[in-house]
């Protein structure tokens, strides 16, 4: 039986996929084979020796020590696209909020209602102009990042009558096919900056994307641009954004990642990380995370891993050997030599790499001895060997 530890509350839509006859699931589980997590911090987490996989019910994995997982042969999954519709809908709301001071106007009405002697109807007619703003129709939206969320945002913005520019240096063929043909996909983000009245960012946060929007990039944008960040807080430099808001270079900034500094700045709308906060999104993420974890533990298949390549194959033998190893020369030769020496016939083999690490799956026509598995583990550069029997 596989032991699955939950570090956050995970929707039952996902947990129900884990058959109780094969999986023990809960927050009190020890010596876990797998972990289901949402936002719980894991950088100081002590990995038990049996831990084989971590599935994040969400797209971002900043709370997980990816490098340490890779070094220990722990596969890390995320759920790209599972919350895409929820974020897309919040982007629509954020566009309207950034354009017209809807929240400020609603708060002002409440203030008038609770002020003695105020004729509300007269006050509204006199004061409404303070909350006016431009329409989205025929304005230009720049979308940075054209993955699952960015593509949906591009396409729905076209439906609103906006002109849409998209930028993604790593645009895949699959992602490109999701885009409406009317989206202007540019190869230089500066072109997007020059054209856009509104800019929304949808890229992962890492060392190369930290402070992606900063004083230098803002200087290339139109004056009075309106910027949305519903992706990750560190993508936008707070100090540079506040300075741009104070100077009027940026008209409004909507962020889903408030901190003590940015939340109190003028012309900022700070939301409480609402991007994926819908029951539908939580269920989608939980299902996807649980299904990926289950398939890996039972079959060795990897899909949507952030630290290892995607590898999956149909069973074609009696036993399956799953090997995580360094991406170095002659590994396949060493693996197959050991199997050949034992007279084991390979039915199917798949090998793929991702940067410094590689994953090899081998289907065999017979079960292998423990001694053979130990020989495989002894290969220099080998990180983890699992033997599964069909």
């Amino acid at each position: 039986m596989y032991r699955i530890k939950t570090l956050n509350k995970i929707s039952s839509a996902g947990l129900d996929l884990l058959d109780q006859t094969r999986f023990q699931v809960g927050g009190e589980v020890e010596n876990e084979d797998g972990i289901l997590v949402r936002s719980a911090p894991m950088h100081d987490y002590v990995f038990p020796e049996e831990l084989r996989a971590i599935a994040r019910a969400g797209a971002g994995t900043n709370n997980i020590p990816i490098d340490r997982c890779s070094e220990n042969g722990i596969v890390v999954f995320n759920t790209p696209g599972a919350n895409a519709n929820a974020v897309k809908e919040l982007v629509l709301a954020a566009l309207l909020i950034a354009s017209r001071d809807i929240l400020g106007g609603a708060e002002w009405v409440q203030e008038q209602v609770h002020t003695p002697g105020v004729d509300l109807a007269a006050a509204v007619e006199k004061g409404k102009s303070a909350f006016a703003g431009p329409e989205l129709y025929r304005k230009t939206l720049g979308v940075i990042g054209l993955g699952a969320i960015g593509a949906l945002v591009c396409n729905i913005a076209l439906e609103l009558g906006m002109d849409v520019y998209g930028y993604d240096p790593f645009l895949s063929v699959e992602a490109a096919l999701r885009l409406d043909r009317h989206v202007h996909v540019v190869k230089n983000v500066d072109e997007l900056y020059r054209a856009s009245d509104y800019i929304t960012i949808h890229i992962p946060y890492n060392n190369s994307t930290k402070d992606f929007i900063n004083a230098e990039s803002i200087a290339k944008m139109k004056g009075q641009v309106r910027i949305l960040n519903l992706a990750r807080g560190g993508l936008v430099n707070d100090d540079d954004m506040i300075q741009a808001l104070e100077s009027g270079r940026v008209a409004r900034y909507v962020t889903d990642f408030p901190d003590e500094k940015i939340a109190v700045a003028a012309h900022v709308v700070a939301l409480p990380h609402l991007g994926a906060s819908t029951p539908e999104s939580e269920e989608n993420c939980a299902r996807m995370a649980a299904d990926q974890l289950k398939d890996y533990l039972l079959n060795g298949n990897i899909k949507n891993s952030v630290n290892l390549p995607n590898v999956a194959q149909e069973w074609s033998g009696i036993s399956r050997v799953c090997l995580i190893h360094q991406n170095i020369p002659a590994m396949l030769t060493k693996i197959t030599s050991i199997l050949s020496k034992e007279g084991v016939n390979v039915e199917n083999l798949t090998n793929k790499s991702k940067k410094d690490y590689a994953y090899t799956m081998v289907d065999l026509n017979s079960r292998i001895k423990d001694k053979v598995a130990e020989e495989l583990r002894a290969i220099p550069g080998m990180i983890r060997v699992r033997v599964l029997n069909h």
Side-chain angles (χ1 to χ4, degrees):
M1 179 173 285
Y2 291 104
R3 299 174 296 276
I4 309 298
K5 187 165 188 171
T6 55
L7 298 186
N8 296 100
K9 183 179 179 181
I10 304 295
S11 170
S12 60
L15 300 183
D16 289 346
L17 297 176
L18 302 173
D19 183 352
Q20 293 183 9
T21 64
R22 306 192 75 173
F23 297 93
Q24 178 188 356
V25 184
E28 304 304 317
V29 169
E30 296 181 350
N31 297 318
E32 60 269 22
D33 300 285
I35 290 175
L36 282 168
V37 62
R38 290 173 61 193
S39 58
M42 295 192 64
H43 284 276
D44 296 324
Y45 194 87
V46 178
F47 295 149
E49 187 175 344
E50 292 299 313
L51 183 61
R52 303 168 190 180
I54 298 170
R56 158 83 163 96
T61 54
N62 301 52
N63 58 318
I64 300 170
I66 304 299
D67 290 344
R68 188 157 62 93
C69 289
S70 300
E71 293 165 2
N72 285 274
I74 299 168
V75 184
V76 180
F77 298 96
N78 68 344
T79 57
N83 62 3
N85 189 70
V87 178
K88 176 206 73 177
E89 291 186 1
L90 190 64
V91 170
L92 287 180
L95 282 169
L96 293 167
I97 290 169
S99 198
R100 305 166 75 174
D101 192 6
I102 298 168
L103 299 183
E107 292 174 2
W108 179 80
V109 168
Q110 291 301 313
E111 291 173 3
Q112 304 311 304
V113 168
H114 293 93
T115 302
V118 169
D119 181 336
L120 184 59
V124 165
E125 287 305 313
K126 183 178 180 181
K128 64 182 181 182
S129 61
F131 309 101
E135 297 180 10
L136 301 179
Y137 183 62
R138 291 188 175 176
K139 301 302 188 303
T140 300
L141 172 66
V143 181
I144 300 172
L146 301 175
I149 295 170
L152 288 179
V153 170
C154 286
N155 295 344
I156 199 68
L158 289 172
E159 295 293 326
L160 295 174
M162 302 186 80
D163 195 21
V164 180
Y165 280 67
Y167 168 77
D168 193 328
F170 306 107
L171 182 63
S172 66
V173 173
E174 181 184 358
L177 291 173
R178 290 195 295 259
L179 288 173
D180 188 287
R181 63 185 178 87
H182 295 98
V183 176
H184 308 289
V185 178
V186 297
K187 294 183 178 180
N188 190 326
V189 72
D190 291 353
E191 186 177 346
L192 180 149
Y193 290 151
R194 288 192 296 268
S196 301
D197 302 296
Y198 301 79
I199 293 174
T200 181
I201 187 166
H202 300 285
I203 58 178
Y205 175 76
N206 52 46
N207 290 335
S208 64
T209 60
K210 183 179 185 296
D211 295 337
F212 192 94
I213 293 181
N214 53 34
E216 182 181 354
S217 58
I218 292 171
K220 299 173 183 177
M221 299 176 189
K222 283 185 177 182
Q224 291 289 288
V225 66
R226 299 163 196 267
I227 299 176
L228 318 180
N229 177 16
L230 307 183
R232 283 292 178 270
L235 295 172
V236 178
N237 183 287
D238 281 351
D239 292 328
D240 292 351
M241 178 57 68
I242 291 170
Q243 185 175 358
L245 289 163
E246 289 175 347
S247 70
R249 183 78 187 172
V250 176
R252 185 152 300 201
Y253 175 50
V254 182
T255 178
D256 208 19
F257 304 92
D259 56 33
E260 290 78 3
K261 181 185 295 184
I262 200 69
V264 297
H267 310 297
V268 170
V269 177
L271 304 174
H273 201 177
L274 294 177
S277 295
T278 68
E280 296 88 349
S281 173
E282 291 182 7
E283 289 178 2
N284 290 341
C285 289
R287 285 194 196 97
M288 195 169 180
D291 190 55
Q292 291 168 174
L293 184 61
K294 174 182 177 180
D295 195 21
Y296 177 66
L297 291 177
L298 295 181
N299 301 306
N301 292 326
I302 297 179
K303 183 179 181 181
N304 293 323
S305 171
V306 299
N307 63 335
L308 285 165
N310 290 333
V311 178
Q313 65 184 36
E314 295 293 327
W315 277 86
S316 57
I318 295 173
S319 289
R320 170 169 289 181
V321 184
C322 306
L323 309 102
I324 299 173
H325 52 86
Q326 294 175 5
N327 184 22
I328 53 179
M331 285 299 290
L332 282 182
T333 300
K334 294 173 182 176
I335 292 168
T336 54
S337 294
I338 290 173
L339 296 174
S340 176
K341 184 181 67 175
E342 293 295 323
V344 179
N345 189 51
V346 173
E347 296 288 334
N348 195 10
L349 183 151
T350 303
N351 167 266
K352 289 184 180 180
S353 62
K354 188 171 186 175
K355 296 183 180 179
D356 296 332
Y357 298 93
Y359 186 59
T360 301
M361 292 175 63
V362 188
D363 283 351
L364 308 171
N365 67 350
S366 61
R367 298 195 177 191
I368 64 171
K369 301 174 183 177
D370 292 342
K371 178 176 71 72
V372 177
E374 290 306 315
E375 287 183 32
L376 292 169
R377 292 187 179 99
I379 296 174
M382 187 64 67
I383 298 172
R384 173 161 293 195
V385 175
R386 284 205 302 145
V387 179
L388 304 174
N389 294 311
H390 202 26

